[in-house]
Structures are given as C-alpha cells and as structure tokens.
C-alpha cells in the first residue's frame, strides 16, 4: 500500500510544459500528478476558479460534494485513515475556511495525512476585512504541520508539490494552502519539477541505530514480564505485519491505544485489547506489573497514562517513534529509538529471541483475561449498547468491515466490544475527540473502499452534529450504514455527572423539554418521547431506516441493515443510565479503577 507520494512523481503530465495554465488548473494538475483520485470540495466565491478547474479534470479526479465543509474535512480523513493515502478537501474563504479548523486540529492530533486548500480573497484586498476574509493561515498556524499563503502563481506548482510531500512523509499530518482568487485566475507556464524549498525539513525517514536495536533485543531476552504498548504509529507506518511477526517470535502480550486498534488481531490470545481510561482491566494491570514496556508509535496520552508518575512504575521503558519531539516529552524512557516503526521492527525481528523465562507472566496475563473480561448485564430485558455492538461484530467478523464512530460512550464501547483483526478498519477521532466525526468519515471510507461494508456506530448527540451528510451519502451513491445507539442524552457527560457531580443534569438531556418526567424513568426514555425521529429524518434523505427497542428484534434488524444495498440507518433505543466500564478516573491509577 502506498503511504506517501514521491516528490518527483508525475503520473499524468500535460502534453506540453510550454503552454500557460491558470493557477487553478496547476493545482489540480499537480494533484493528478501525485496520484490524487478523490477530492472533497465545497464551492464558494473565492474558490470558484478551482472548482471550474476540477470540472476540466473530471475524468481523472472524483469530486465529492459534502453538505458542510466539516463533512468534507472528515470525509477526507476517512479516506486517508483507511488507505494511508493523502486525503484532500477544499473550501472557499472566510466561513468556509473556518469550518475546516476542527478537521485540521483533529488530523494534527491523530497524524492524518491531509491537504486542505482554501480559497482566499484577492491579494489586493487581503487585510482590509473584505467580504468573507479570514486570515486562515494565522488561525491554523498551530494546528497544521505546515501552511502556505500563495501570492504568486509561479509558486503554485512547487507549493502544492511541497504540501503533498510534507503531509505524507515523516510523522504525517495536515497541510493548509490558502489560495487567493486572483492567483487561481492568473496564468503562467508551470514548472512541475521546480526544486522544493523546505529548509530544515528532513526528507529521509529516521532509521534506528543498530546498537539501540541490539540493546532492545537484549532487554527482551532478559525480561520476565514484557509488554508491548502499540499505538497509531504502528498503523501509520504500515508495521502491523512486523509487529505480528515480533509477537509470534517472542510471545509478548500486546496492549493497544484507541488509535492502535487493529494493528494486532484483537481476538488473538496475546491481545490485551485497549489500555487506558476505558481500557481492559487486564491491560491496565499488566502495565502496572510489567518489567519491560515497549512503546511503539505512541505519545503517552493522558487518557492512557492517567497519573504519569505511576504509569508502568516497575518497568524499563523503551519508546520507538518517528517524531523525536514525542520521546521523553511526557514519560522518561530508558531507551529511546527515533525511527520509523516499521523499519525498527524489521531490524529487531532479524535478531530478537524470546524472553528467557516469561511463562509465569503469560499465565498471569491469561488468568487476568479470564477473570476480568469486559462485561455487561446479559439479563437486561432491553437492548444494551454493548450487546448491540457485540452482535454487530458477531455478524460481520468474517467480512472485511470498516467501523467508524462518533465520540462518546458508543465510541468506547465499540473499542471494547468490536474485535479488529486488521489495521485501517477502525476509524475514530482519538486525540481531539470530535463529535460528528463518524458519518462523514464513513462516507470517505466508502469512497475509498466501495466494495467493503462500512458501518458508522454512532450516538444521537454525535450524529446530529453532521446529519446533513445523509444527503452526501445518498446523492454520491456511497451506501454506508449507521448503527445509532440512541439514548437521548450526551451519554459520556451524563456518566461523569453521575460519577462526579451527584447525577445533577446540566443540559445533557437531548429530548423534548415538554417531558421532563422522562428523565426519571428507570428503563430509559420511552419511544414516544424520543426526538428527533431519526427514522423519518433518514427516510427524508432517501435512506432506508428502521427503529428497534426489543432485544428479540435486534439480530434480524442488524442483518437487514448489513444486507441492504443502499444507505441504512438502524435506530436502536438504549437506556441512558448505562456507564462505560471499567473506568480509571482522570489523573488516577489502576488502583482507583472503577468496575461497577
């Protein structure tokens, strides 16, 4: 799989390099030269020349029209996260550009290769508060990997080429190009091979020092309680095969971050599933007891570590990461290896031997998995969210399925109960935790993988934030499925209200204020008091839709959703009182872990 683009790649050069082209045409031609096939683009006054150019390349670039710029940004992310390729989105200036800010921040935190091109007012009026002007480069300076304001059409080809290169190399991330309208309209003879001008940017992937790889191999041989802590960097570097080979050779258990799910088969006996705040008991206990923690492509996020000083207190810590700035930033390491994870693991696998004596540790881990599984009330008469997700996994585990999510309780339950066997099948906003992510990300994933089943497991609060993308899925013929776990509340905030604020409801009920008594019902909110009617809304967008509240109906309804040829919403009515467990309160340790 291609994960980056060569700076010299020219797959579809124009017939002659001696004819003038408009700045807008140069942008699109450069994208084509670098293999871009899909662009999520919303038009406006300052970006109209770019859209006109896209129509001239319609035989080579598919343009997907989102119904909101944020839908386009998250669609580009869904495309990028499931392919490893560049996701591209465009907007107009002003509000169109600012509607992308959340998407850029999200891509930055999760290291997603994305190129955002925003139209800008003409250079002659920049700084005058012209209509629909915002200084978007200044707004986004700290949430992009790199950014450009292009003021000369002669720079366009070089800048787009540089932007693609920066976004897709090293630690990947979002790059912003702000393109004034007059620059889009101006013409020049393009030089698609103009030298890049990136002073200080390393154009070579860092490779592990062989001596440090040998040192890591020695640490593994001597360890009695080793543990691998694997994150999104394993997936970003396409290192899942190398990780699996290491585990097969050494039999070291693997705990994964939210971003790392799928980098190692979740149903493997050596998988400890997700660690951290809502991770498994067994993964968190294993971290607290291990004597060697091998951290691969992670950043020691607070949702994983809790109280940093008490995280892995007995372990020697090895950190392998492509970004030197992440090493020793949060947790001091005993051995740091700045390297592409795939390259480091490939080198390690050539020389590593299993630990000399870790059979007691493997028995300890197996006992923990057996005694402390993820659990929920299987006797509950209605449908619990955990049960719905587990049933979806049971029905789809032998299909090549991509799961996206919004953010909240449903996201954590999905991470717990859906066992991912392959990388890039789990698409979720981890670092920024952006509600509204799931549906547009599913559309982007479906655009990249038309033959795969794509399911957005969502919550009612998250789905409402980008519900307009129902129209995109229908009109663009991108049939995604939505499993809506509908509890009429902001579920994760409710959980924190219950745990830490004496269950005082502070604007977390999403239903009608005409029925305040519904809040006190012990079995959740009854169907007649649930607003909006998501089934009617979905059908209004041309989707198939159905609502279920009876446990006996669920399997048949899920099967209908899965087998439906078009987009389908399954609205599952669930109680709002259910909590995501286990839970380590913020800033605390496994010793304060809540199980019930």
């Amino acid at each position: 799989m291609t994960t980056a683009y060569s700076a010299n790649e020219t797959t579809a050069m124009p017939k002659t390099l001696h004819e003038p082209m408009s700045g807008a045409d140069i942008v699109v031609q450069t994208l084509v030269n670098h293999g871009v096939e899909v662009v999520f683009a919303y038009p406006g006054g300052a970006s109209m020349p770019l859209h006109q150019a896209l129509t001239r390349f319609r035989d080579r670039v598919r343009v997907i029209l989102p119904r909101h710029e944020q839908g386009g940004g998250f669609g580009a992310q869904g495309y990028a996260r499931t392919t490893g390729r560049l996701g591209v989105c465009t907007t107009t200036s002003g509000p169109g550009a600012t509607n992308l800010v959340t998407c850029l921040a999200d891509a930055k935190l999760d290291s997603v290769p994305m190129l955002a091109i925003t139209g800008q007012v003409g250079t002659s009026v920049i700084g005058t508060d012209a209509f629909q002007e915002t200084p978007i480069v200044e707004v986004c300076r700290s949430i992009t990997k790199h950014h450009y304001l292009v003021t000369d059409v002669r720079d366009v080809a070089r800048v787009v080429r540089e932007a693609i290169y920066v976004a897709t190399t090293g630690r990947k991330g979002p790059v912003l190009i702000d393109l004034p309208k007059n620059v889009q309209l101006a013409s020049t003879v393009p030089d698609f091979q103009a030298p890049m001008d990136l002073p200080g940017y390393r154009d070579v992937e860092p490779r592990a020092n062989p001596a440090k790889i040998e040192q890591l191999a020695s640490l593994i041989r001597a360890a009695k309680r080793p543990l691998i802590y694997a994150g999104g960097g394993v997936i970003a570097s396409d290192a899942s095969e190398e990780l699996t080979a290491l585990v097969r050779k050494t039999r070291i258990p693997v705990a994964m971050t939210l971003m790392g799910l799928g980098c190692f088969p979740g149903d493997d006996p050596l998988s400890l599933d997700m660690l951290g705040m809502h991770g498994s008991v067994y993964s968190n206990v294993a971290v607290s007891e291990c004597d060697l923690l091998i951290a691969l492509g992670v950043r020691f996020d607070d949702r994983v570590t809790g109280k940093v000083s008490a995280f892995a207190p007995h372990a020697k810590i090895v950190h392998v990461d492509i970004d030197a700035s992440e090493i020793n930033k949060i947790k001091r390491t005993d051995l740091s290896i700045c390297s592409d994870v795939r390259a480091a693991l490939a080198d390690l696998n050539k020389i590593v031997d299993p630990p000399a004596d870790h059979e007691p540790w493997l028995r300890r881990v197996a006992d923990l998995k057996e005694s402390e599984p993820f659990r929920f009330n299987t006797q509950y008469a209605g449908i619990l969210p955990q049960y719905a997700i587990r049933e979806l996994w049971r029905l789809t585990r032998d299909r090549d399925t991509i799961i996206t999510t919004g953010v909240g309780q449903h996201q954590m339950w999905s991470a717990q109960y859906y066992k991912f066997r392959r990388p890039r099948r789990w698409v979720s906003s981890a670092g920024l935790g952006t509600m509204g992510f799931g549906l547009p990300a599913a559309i982007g994933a479906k655009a990249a993988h038309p033959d795969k089943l794509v399911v957005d497991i969502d919550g009612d609060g998250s789905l409402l934030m980008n519900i307009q993308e129902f129209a995109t899925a229908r009109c663009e013929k991108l049939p995604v499925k939505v499993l809506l776990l509908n509890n009429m509340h902001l579920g994760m905030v409710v959980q924190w209200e219950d745990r830490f604020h004496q269950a005082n409801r502070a604007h977390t009920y999403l239903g009608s204020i005409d029925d305040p008594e519904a809040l006190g019902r012990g079995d959740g909110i009854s169907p007649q008091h649930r607003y909006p009617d998501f089934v009617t809304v979905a059908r209004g967008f041309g989707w198939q839709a159905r609502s279920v509240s009876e446990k006996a109906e669920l399997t048949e309804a899920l099967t209908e959703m899965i087998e439906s040829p078009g987009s389908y919403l399954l609205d599952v009515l669930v109680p709002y009182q259910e909590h995501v467990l286990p839970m380590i309160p913020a800033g605390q340790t496994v010793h304060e872990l809540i199980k019930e």
Side-chain angles (χ1 to χ4, degrees):
M1 177 181 292
T2 301
T3 58
Y5 300 100
S6 165
N8 297 313
E9 186 174 353
T10 52
T11 58
M13 293 292 289
K15 292 181 180 179
T16 174
L17 295 178
H18 304 293
E19 294 179 1
M21 298 176 69
S22 71
D25 281 332
I26 294 170
V27 169
V28 182
Q29 181 65 67
T30 309
L31 295 177
V32 170
N33 291 350
H34 289 79
V36 173
E37 298 173 348
V38 178
V39 174
F40 297 81
Y42 202 97
S47 64
M48 285 184 69
L50 183 58
H51 278 260
Q52 291 296 307
L54 285 165
T55 68
R56 293 189 282 274
F57 289 80
R58 58 166 51 99
D59 59 330
R60 284 168 282 181
V61 178
R62 179 181 184 180
V63 175
I64 294 176
L65 173 66
R67 274 24 181 204
H68 188 282
E69 290 89 355
Q70 190 177 100
F74 289 144
Q77 279 205 44
Y79 183 95
R81 289 176 187 244
T82 58
T83 62
R85 296 171 63 84
L86 182 73
V88 181
C89 58
T90 76
T91 73
T92 191
S93 63
T98 56
N99 280 342
L100 274 185
V101 169
T102 299
C103 305
L104 290 165
D106 193 282
K108 180 70 157 50
L109 279 174
D110 286 355
S111 303
V112 179
M114 188 169 84
L115 174 61
I117 303 172
T118 54
Q120 183 55 278
V121 300
T123 54
S124 64
V125 293
I126 287 177
T128 69
D129 293 332
F131 178 67
Q132 291 193 333
E133 180 192 0
T134 54
I136 196 63
V137 165
E138 297 304 317
V139 170
C140 297
R141 188 173 296 278
S142 63
I143 57 169
T144 51
K145 186 177 178 183
H146 199 35
H147 37 261
Y148 297 89
L149 171 62
V150 184
T151 58
D152 189 331
V153 69
R154 292 171 294 183
D155 295 330
V156 170
R158 174 185 58 80
V159 164
V160 177
R161 183 166 160 238
E162 286 178 7
I164 293 171
Y165 186 67
V166 170
T168 58
T169 55
R171 181 177 179 177
K172 300 170 180 64
V175 177
L176 170 69
I177 299 175
D178 199 27
L179 200 60
K181 188 171 184 177
N182 63 304
V183 176
Q184 298 173 51
L185 291 168
S187 295
T188 190
V189 176
D191 180 1
F192 292 105
Q193 295 299 319
M196 292 192 293
D197 183 19
L198 294 168
Y201 186 77
R202 293 184 62 179
D203 60 355
V204 177
E205 302 284 353
R207 189 78 184 237
N209 184 316
K212 290 194 172 187
I213 295 295
E214 291 176 4
Q215 188 177 351
L216 173 53
S218 296
L219 289 171
I220 290 173
R221 282 192 295 273
K224 294 186 180 299
R225 299 185 305 278
L227 181 67
I228 293 171
Y229 158 32
V234 177
I235 295 174
S237 64
D238 290 321
S240 295
E241 289 185 9
E242 286 75 13
L243 172 60
T244 302
L246 175 65
V247 175
R248 296 287 175 259
K249 195 169 184 180
T250 62
R251 298 175 65 215
I252 298 176
V254 181
M256 289 164 278
T257 68
L258 183 66
M259 282 289 293
L261 293 175
C263 72
F264 182 75
D267 54 358
D268 189 281
L270 288 171
S271 168
L272 300 188
D273 298 306
M274 184 174 69
L275 79 164
M277 176 177 283
H278 292 296
S280 64
V281 172
Y282 40 88
S283 67
N284 285 305
V285 171
V287 170
S288 72
E289 295 182 357
C290 70
D291 65 0
L292 175 64
L293 185 67
I294 305 169
L296 303 173
V298 301
R299 56 187 182 88
F300 292 88
D301 174 76
D302 63 288
R303 284 299 193 261
V304 167
T305 63
K307 186 177 180 180
V308 176
S309 61
F311 182 73
H314 309 295
K316 291 183 178 178
I317 296 177
V318 179
H319 191 183
V320 182
D321 201 278
I322 198 170
D323 186 352
S325 71
E326 289 294 345
I327 296 173
N328 292 316
K329 184 176 82 173
I330 294 173
K331 185 74 175 178
R332 296 296 301 179
T333 62
D334 297 280
L335 174 62
S336 62
I337 301 175
C338 184
S339 173
D340 174 76
V341 174
R342 183 180 183 182
L345 291 180
D347 291 343
L348 179 63
N349 284 334
K350 295 173 184 177
I351 63 171
V352 72
D353 292 315
D357 180 21
H358 75 316
E359 289 300 326
W361 174 241
L362 294 179
R363 288 194 294 272
R364 167 65 172 157
V365 167
D367 289 345
L368 280 169
K369 287 190 71 172
E370 184 176 354
S371 63
E372 297 284 0
F374 289 120
R375 51 168 61 96
F376 60 92
N377 181 8
T378 58
Q379 303 305 310
Y380 181 75
I383 303 174
L384 289 181
Q386 304 96 310
Y387 175 75
I389 294 166
R390 191 183 70 177
E391 191 68 1
L392 176 67
W393 172 72
R394 187 183 69 81
L395 294 171
T396 60
R397 61 185 172 184
D398 294 327
R399 299 180 60 155
D400 195 358
T401 303
I402 294 172
I403 300 294
T404 71
T405 72
V407 168
Q409 288 180 311
H410 67 275
Q411 177 191 31
M412 294 297 102
W413 281 317
S414 299
Q416 291 176 345
Y417 288 94
Y418 201 102
K419 304 297 183 183
F420 296 92
R421 292 172 172 166
R422 303 178 186 177
R424 303 195 186 280
R425 271 63 174 183
W426 164 249
V427 183
S428 194
S429 171
L432 197 63
T434 308
M435 293 175 67
F437 177 89
L439 176 59
I443 291 170
K446 189 66 175 178
H449 305 278
D451 297 329
K452 286 185 172 62
L453 174 66
V454 180
V455 182
D456 168 31
I457 302 175
D458 225 325
D460 46 298
S462 280
L463 184 62
L464 280 168
M465 287 199 173
N466 273 314
I467 199 167
Q468 74 286 335
E469 300 309 315
F470 276 163
T472 305
R474 177 68 173 84
C475 296
E476 296 286 341
K477 297 180 174 59
L478 295 168
V480 300
K481 320 297 180 183
V482 173
L483 174 59
L484 176 61
L485 303 175
N486 184 356
N487 66 4
M488 289 308 302
H489 285 74
L490 296 174
M492 189 61 85
V493 187
V494 166
Q495 177 168 332
W496 282 55
E497 288 176 335
D498 288 345
R499 296 284 175 178
F500 310 116
H501 298 279
Q502 296 76 50
N504 181 46
R505 295 288 173 260
H507 320 111
T508 48
Y509 174 48
L510 299 177
S512 170
I513 59 173
D514 295 330
D515 183 36
E517 293 81 9
L519 289 170
R521 296 195 180 107
D523 60 348
I525 310 301
S526 57
Q528 65 266 32
H529 293 294
R530 291 176 183 264
Y531 304 100
D533 180 348
F534 283 98
V535 169
T536 298
V537 171
R539 287 174 178 168
F541 280 104
W543 285 44
Q544 293 177 269
R546 175 179 176 179
S547 183
V548 294
S549 59
E550 300 297 326
K551 201 171 187 177
E553 297 179 277
L554 181 64
T555 299
E556 184 268 329
L558 284 169
T559 302
E560 180 180 303
M561 177 191 76
I562 292 164
E563 300 300 332
S564 168
S567 293
Y568 193 110
L569 169 78
L570 180 59
D571 179 23
V572 182
L573 307 186
V574 299
Y576 72 88
Q577 298 93 338
E578 194 70 8
H579 286 190
V580 180
L581 297 174
M583 178 183 184
I584 299 176
Q588 297 191 35
T589 73
V590 68
H591 301 294
E592 289 80 42
L593 185 144
I594 300 168
K595 297 182 186 178
E596 298 180 1

